[in-house]
Amino acid sequence: MAAQQSSLLLRKQLNELKKNPVEGFSAGLIDDNDIYKWEVLIIGPPDTLYEGGFFKAHLYFPKEYPLRPPKMKFITEIWHPNIDKTGDVCISILHEPGDDKFGYEKASERWLPVHTVETILISVISMLADPNDESPANVDAAKEWRENYTEFKRKVARCVRKSQEDV
């Protein structure tokens, strides 16, 4: 039953995004027969280091969606404190609901069933513009962002150029 409800909800969100596209990203299914695996293209936000980039990522939804969050993984190489070296995104709203056992995040900052694909992607775009180096998934990128910003910018610029070739 939960799978059927999540499937209907995801189909509704997909149709809504097709009817009313949101600036900054596009989304669709990886495979038309699997509503739980999405491919998104995030356009590097203006006035950020990622401007001009085209970053492909996958969203993997659990059958318990929207009670549990999806996982997000960048397929395009990207250098960012909150994206680990394998492309996995670490952002509060994608963390399991409830209290953070480490006390770092409030429950209200974590996954809530009201989140949609649109709110997830807007949060990720915002994260690109404003990294959280206090809780990094990529410690090297966070350290560089803080201590050697010139080198950080150089690596991001290389990722942006590479992303333009892959489109």
Side-chain angles (χ1 to χ4, degrees):
M1 185 64 156
Q4 191 178 6
Q5 288 178 320
S6 62
S7 170
L8 288 170
L9 180 59
L10 286 167
R11 195 144 317 274
K12 184 177 178 227
Q13 289 182 22
L14 181 61
N15 289 335
E16 183 60 31
L17 286 171
K18 284 181 178 171
K19 271 197 315 214
N20 301 307
V22 178
E23 196 171 320
F25 70 86
S26 66
L29 300 180
I30 294 172
D31 169 356
D32 288 339
N33 298 316
D34 189 348
I35 192 69
Y36 295 100
K37 293 181 182 165
W38 291 38
E39 182 169 83
V40 295
L41 183 67
I42 294 178
I43 298 151
D47 303 320
T48 71
L49 298 179
Y50 301 90
E51 182 173 17
F54 298 96
F55 302 97
K56 208 180 281 186
H58 289 169
L59 278 168
Y60 304 102
F61 293 88
K63 300 279 191 265
E64 303 85 6
Y65 178 82
L67 300 177
R68 294 193 51 231
K71 303 266 185 254
M72 185 171 179
K73 184 180 198 74
F74 274 87
I75 306 307
T76 306
E77 183 186 338
I78 189 164
W79 186 247
H80 189 281
N82 305 115
I83 303 167
D84 76 15
K85 291 175 181 172
T86 66
D88 291 325
V89 175
C90 180
I91 186 172
S92 297
I93 71 160
L94 292 181
H95 293 164
E96 290 291 337
D99 290 322
D100 177 10
K101 64 182 176 193
F102 302 110
Y104 179 73
E105 299 166 330
K106 295 183 202 115
S108 61
E109 297 170 324
R110 295 166 72 89
W111 178 256
L112 297 169
V114 296
H115 286 301
T116 63
V117 172
E118 181 177 339
T119 62
I120 293 165
L121 294 175
I122 288 170
S123 294
V124 169
I125 289 167
S126 172
M127 175 198 78
L128 288 177
D130 187 20
N132 174 1
D133 67 329
E134 297 295 313
S135 173
N138 182 335
V139 175
D140 295 336
K143 190 173 187 307
E144 204 168 75
W145 188 72
R146 281 193 302 263
E147 297 172 10
N148 189 349
Y149 193 66
T150 305
E151 182 61 16
F152 180 83
K153 284 190 336 188
R154 191 185 68 73
K155 285 182 181 164
V156 170
R158 189 181 64 73
C159 291
V160 168
R161 277 192 312 278
K162 232 177 137 194
S163 78
Q164 294 165 338
E165 295 164 9
D166 295 341
V167 176

